[in-house]
Amino acid sequence: MREFLKKWDLSAIYQIALVILDVCFINLCSVAALLVRFELSAVPVEYWESVRSMMIPNTIVTIGIFTVCRLYRSLWRFASAKELLYIGEACIGSFLFNAAAYFLTYKEIYRSYFLMHLYWQIFLSICQNDLSKQCS
């Protein structure tokens, strides 16, 4: 029984760490998409305000989507094509929410933001997968 509780505690701590890392990465994707679009120069204020106002809803919904797509339940030490498919599903779900939320709330954003955000999200999710494999 004690071993089960220890294993559960590590599993819960591990999942919480993944969620915290995802929160950082989700917001980093938004900022990176802006900075890359404007070639690391001055980003217009209206775009910063638009992204800033959508950070909290985007983060909450994306974490929910990642949870539904089972990104926090699998053992990344044994990751396979199935887990890569989960990452793809989750990132595309987040992309669709992000695009719909911006268009339905009439936030000012450039069109390529969504594809750049998707690219960064897939890239960072795969990096997180690789990082978590090495840590476990």
Side-chain angles (χ1 to χ4, degrees), residues 12-27 59 63 72 128:
I13 291 169
Y14 181 71
Q15 289 176 349
I16 290 169
L18 287 178
V19 170
I20 290 170
L21 193 59
D22 271 338
V23 167
C24 296
F25 281 171
I26 290 164
N27 292 308
T59 301
I63 293 296
Y72 303 122
Q128 177 187 358

Side-chain angles (χ1 to χ4, degrees), residues 53-98:
S53 69
M54 290 297 293
M55 276 186 173
I56 293 174
N58 183 31
T59 301
I60 292 170
V61 172
T62 299
I63 293 296
I65 291 170
F66 283 10
T67 303
V68 169
C69 289
R70 301 172 293 277
L71 292 188
Y72 303 122
R73 281 190 249 154
S74 59
L75 290 172
W76 291 110
R77 185 173 25 186
F78 306 111
S80 65
K82 188 176 181 182
E83 278 76 20
L84 191 59
L85 181 65
Y86 292 160
I87 289 173
E89 289 174 347
C91 291
I92 289 172
S94 175
F95 164 80
L96 293 174
F97 166 76
N98 210 359

